[in-house]
Amino acid sequence: QSALTQPASVSGSPGQSITISCTGTSNDVGAYIYVSWYQQHSGKAPKLMIYDVSNRPSGVSNRFSGSKSGNTASLTISGLQAEDEADYYCSSYTRSSTVVFGGGTKLTVL
Amino acid sequence: EVQLVQSGAEVKKPGESLKISCQGSGYSFTNYWIAWVRQMPGRGLEWMGVIWPGDSGTKYSPSFQGQVTISVDKSTSTVYLQWSRLKASDTAMYYCARPRGSSTNCYDRWGQGTLVTVSS
């Protein structure tokens, strides 16, 4: 199974909004609602930010939102803050009952 | 408080065996999947496989099937990841992770990571 496709990097200024895409296939992203997004700061363990396409765990800012259309999921961060600078990974459950991650996107807050 | 505590960093030589651990506490250990995730230096996250501690049932990524073994000791609430013959390419940070509820795929609890270095 191949990794989901994410842009290597995105950037934005404080206060702006950015969107990170995550493209899979009809065997993973397109097959289920089970798409998650993780934030990883350098040297830290990943943190769940979005699950089941668009749900936020308790404690995650409502500046983070998720959506999906067909085989592509998206993470949007509004009102960018310096603390949002991190690596972001999507993941999806697959028809093979496994999980696949995206390659990761480095977010730079200018 | 839910916690996943992993064993410490390891330095090994190619060809050696290794078993690292992840101990869960603060929840019903046998009722949640535990996954292992690899992160090679400067690279992304890779899902390796999962285990259901209740019956030791496992599922592996095709990329890791036959390369590693995931096991569990219910008596100590500990999940293991082991290699029989390490390679230099196994050098990575390894995380264990527990999903939300009955899910198998969205991980809201993570261990602190175990750094494995394989070098001659």
Side-chain angles (χ1 to χ4, degrees):
Chain A
Q1 64 196 26
S2 300
L4 306 176
T5 300
Q6 299 181 230
S9 64
V10 298
S11 62
S13 299
Q16 287 186 332
S17 294
I18 64 95
T19 297
I20 300 172
S21 62
C22 169
T23 301
T25 71
S26 58
N27 291 320
D28 38 63
V29 175
Y32 304 101
I33 65 167
Y34 304 129
V35 175
S36 301
W37 289 91
Y38 299 87
Q39 176 191 66
Q40 187 181 34
H41 286 110
S42 181
K44 301 293 188 182
K47 175 186 177 184
L48 181 67
M49 304 302 284
I50 296 287
Y51 67 96
D52 294 352
V53 173
S54 60
N55 294 295
R56 279 188 310 274
S58 174
V60 172
S61 170
N62 59 10
R63 297 185 298 105
F64 292 83
S65 61
S67 63
K68 190 186 84 158
S69 177
N71 296 338
T72 298
S74 298
L75 173 71
T76 298
I77 309 174
S78 59
L80 266 181
Q81 300 179 359
E83 68 207 50
D84 300 331
E85 186 162 293
D87 294 325
Y88 290 85
Y89 296 91
C90 61
S91 76
S92 175
Y93 189 66
T94 80
R95 291 190 190 274
S96 302
S97 302
T98 61
V99 172
V100 61
F101 282 98
T105 298
K106 180 177 181 61
L107 169 61
T108 300
V109 181
L110 302 170
Chain B
E1 180 193 5
V2 174
Q3 282 193 308
L4 297 175
V5 178
Q6 298 185 227
S7 49
E10 302 274 2
V11 179
K12 292 288 191 179
K13 290 181 167 44
E16 292 186 331
S17 63
L18 176 64
K19 194 173 189 178
I20 63 175
S21 67
C22 168
Q23 185 173 42
S25 63
Y27 70 98
S28 180
F29 179 74
T30 55
N31 288 339
Y32 290 82
W33 295 90
I34 292 286
W36 285 98
V37 176
R38 182 176 79 174
Q39 188 166 37
M40 299 174 74
R43 305 296 294 273
L45 304 174
E46 298 174 273
W47 188 86
M48 302 176 72
V50 286
I51 190 166
W52 181 256
D55 64 3
S56 300
T58 54
K59 181 71 175 180
Y60 294 91
S61 161
S63 299
F64 292 94
Q65 180 81 49
Q67 307 303 307
V68 296
T69 300
I70 299 172
S71 60
V72 63
D73 180 344
K74 288 190 289 187
S75 70
T76 60
S77 300
T78 302
V79 171
Y80 299 96
L81 178 66
Q82 69 180 84
W83 295 259
S84 57
R85 290 185 62 82
L86 286 161
K87 298 174 283 189
S89 57
D90 293 317
T91 294
M93 181 71 82
Y94 292 88
Y95 293 101
C96 63
R98 194 206 78 169
R100 288 175 55 89
S102 59
S103 162
T104 61
N105 65 288
C106 58
Y107 305 106
D108 65 347
R109 305 288 182 176
W110 292 73
Q112 81 276 22
T114 296
L115 182 62
V116 174
T117 303
V118 184
S119 174
S120 55

